[in-house]
Amino acid sequence: DNESVIVNVTVGPKDRLVLVGDIHGQFRDLQTHVLSHQRDTIDIDAAASEGENVDCKYLFLGDYVDRGPQGVEVITLLLALKVEYPNNVFMIRGNHEDAQVSRLYGFLTECKNKLEPSSWGMFSEVFCNIPLGATVECETGSFFCCHGGLSPNVDSIEALQFLNRADYGHSLGEDGGEAIDGLLWSDPGEHKGFRRNMRGCGYTFGSDTTSKFCELNRVSFVCRAHQMVMAGYQWEHDQKLLTLFSAPNYCGINHNKGAIAIVLGSAADAKYKAAVTAKAAEGDDADQIKPVEEAGECSTSEVAPSAIPIVFRAFTSAPSEPCTLYYSVDPTVIVKADANGSPIMASLDGPNFDNATDDVSAATPRPAADPNLAIDGLQYFGKEDENKK
């Protein structure tokens, strides 16, 4: 709760900000397509920025838990990354980061099965302190981010700072409740003005309300998540509203793509275009979206409806073959787990499993990570944050 209700994220000339929509417990897709972008951009920029920081910033737009199988792993890893890299990782709250919702859609049961019975209540307390939205300031403009959307109770971004986020979901009729409902639950519509949302909470809002909000707050567009869109991202309302959804093949049945959006500073944009030009000269048409057929394949396209440079990456589900995950149980023990996070082997010699034991009775599951990124799931970035806690 050290961050304000509406957190401010700046994108400097050399920065890249990755915007991430709903994840819904799809841990492997988070690793394969979202956090892995940190490594991908290091490959693109390292040669041109020797000695410079090439770490991305990430802004997650909520709905980390429920529906998918590994909400515990997703939220635990993201919170750990937030603590480790507070100036690189930003999170806002989704409608599923709420006790009344997560008790019904899978997260409560998952916590009971994987952790202590009290863990769900602890997570729910944390959810109440996550920021409700974000403003992103770039050299060429700014935009507003929330999970759901707008409501009649939301006029100015500045006024949102006074909402009481901590009580939302804990009591009925709390101050600012309808405004928060809108931020977490609202959806865009094709009508004018506002109407009550068929979800039973929040509103649907028309393009006229989006234009008015953008004009009043001097932002280029609104970026939100909350709805599955088949391409992974979708512009609406005269390109003043962007929906991002980062959970491919949602619930295992929808065959949708996921997507992330990368906001580029001017120097990062120039380097990206130079890299794309070089690849194109080699016959690699990296700047066009191509049909994504194979599991885990990723495609890239540059779309900039405003003056703010944005690159979209669309992807399908990560391969379903089992992969090996590692996590730390204590400073001296490293545990090898199967794809479901269940411990199968323990090593007292760091990542060296030559003399490992299969006695994992004392192992407590912790957030797992791709071993190619880090043994403990935290070292995704090139250097430690100066304000590391």
Side-chain angles (χ1 to χ4, degrees):
D1 60 1
N2 290 331
E3 292 181 328
S4 57
V5 175
I6 306 297
V7 66
N8 181 256
V9 182
T10 59
V11 180
K14 299 177 182 178
D15 290 339
R16 289 170 307 280
L17 172 67
V18 181
L19 302 172
V20 186
D22 296 35
I23 299 171
H24 280 299
Q26 295 185 204
F27 184 66
R28 187 172 293 139
D29 292 310
L30 171 66
Q31 289 184 293
T32 303
H33 298 304
V34 178
L35 294 176
S36 64
H37 179 71
Q38 169 66 17
R39 290 184 298 170
D40 295 343
T41 52
I42 287 176
D43 292 339
I44 290 175
D45 285 351
S49 57
E50 293 181 7
E52 295 181 11
N53 178 29
V54 292
D55 287 343
C56 290
K57 294 180 179 180
Y58 281 86
L59 174 56
F60 294 89
L61 302 179
D63 275 13
Y64 313 107
V65 302
D66 286 338
R67 306 285 193 184
Q70 292 180 284
V72 167
E73 288 84 352
V74 167
I75 188 61
T76 305
L77 178 56
L78 291 183
L79 290 174
L81 288 170
K82 176 61 183 173
V83 171
E84 187 82 353
Y85 305 99
N87 293 334
N88 288 87
V89 177
F90 301 90
M91 301 169 64
I92 63 177
R93 185 176 178 181
N95 63 303
H96 281 263
E97 282 71 66
D98 179 88
Q100 297 178 54
V101 177
S102 67
R103 73 164 57 242
L104 298 176
Y105 291 95
F107 188 56
L108 171 60
T109 300
E110 188 182 347
C111 287
K112 288 181 177 178
N113 290 338
K114 294 180 178 179
L115 304 171
E116 294 294 326
S118 61
S119 62
W120 174 77
M122 295 177 183
F123 278 119
S124 297
E125 289 294 326
V126 173
F127 293 159
C128 288
N129 290 288
I130 296 177
L132 301 176
T135 54
V136 177
E137 296 185 2
C138 311
E139 300 164 279
T140 53
S142 61
F143 58 95
F144 176 69
C145 297
C146 61
H147 179 73
L150 309 179
S151 72
N153 311 85
V154 175
D155 288 323
S156 72
I157 295 173
E158 186 176 338
L160 297 176
Q161 297 285 11
F162 299 98
L163 293 174
N164 184 2
R165 58 180 161 176
D167 286 345
Y168 181 80
H170 281 267
S171 59
L172 297 176
E174 65 270 11
D175 274 351
E178 285 212 348
I180 300 177
D181 284 346
L183 291 171
L184 303 189
W185 286 89
S186 287
D187 297 303
E190 297 180 358
H191 53 78
K192 290 186 176 181
F194 292 97
R195 296 180 184 175
R196 282 289 181 180
N197 200 332
M198 292 181 64
R199 295 176 185 263
C201 197
Y203 296 82
T204 57
F205 56 98
S207 60
D208 57 327
T209 63
T210 304
S211 296
K212 181 180 178 181
F213 179 87
C214 291
E215 182 179 355
L216 176 65
N217 292 282
R218 298 181 179 179
V219 295
S220 298
F221 60 91
V222 175
C223 179
R224 41 94 65 178
H226 194 42
Q227 283 181 302
M228 186 197 75
V229 287
M230 292 304 295
Y233 70 95
Q234 180 172 297
W235 287 102
E236 299 175 76
H237 292 184
D238 300 320
Q239 294 190 323
K240 290 187 180 296
L241 184 75
L242 171 63
T243 296
L244 273 177
F245 197 80
S246 303
N249 195 26
Y250 181 46
C251 296
I253 59 173
N254 286 287
H255 308 294
N256 61 290
K257 298 175 188 174
I260 56 176
I262 304 101
V263 181
L264 300 168
S266 57
D269 183 34
K271 292 173 184 175
Y272 173 81
K273 288 178 178 176
V276 168
T277 301
K279 289 181 180 180
E282 297 171 1
D284 185 357
D285 192 10
D287 209 16
Q288 299 294 323
I289 281 190
K290 302 173 183 177
V292 180
E293 303 292 344
E294 297 181 6
E297 187 177 340
C298 183
S299 57
T300 304
S301 176
E302 186 172 356
V303 180
S306 67
I308 302 171
I310 304 173
V311 172
F312 292 92
R313 300 188 71 189
F315 45 84
T316 57
S317 292
S320 58
E321 290 79 11
C323 62
T324 302
L325 306 174
Y326 297 83
Y327 53 81
S328 299
V329 176
D330 62 42
T332 61
V333 180
I334 301 295
V335 170
K336 181 185 289 187
D338 61 20
N340 296 317
S342 300
I344 56 176
M345 189 177 294
S347 169
L348 301 179
D349 188 21
N352 179 10
F353 282 85
D354 292 341
N355 299 312
T357 173
D358 58 4
D359 181 9
V360 293
S361 58
T364 302
R366 301 291 176 90
D370 181 342
N372 293 321
L373 294 177
I375 198 69
D376 63 359
L378 295 179
Q379 297 172 13
Y380 283 93
F381 298 94
K383 64 179 182 180
E384 292 184 357
D385 193 283
E386 294 179 357
N387 297 319
K388 172 183 171 183
K389 297 181 181 179

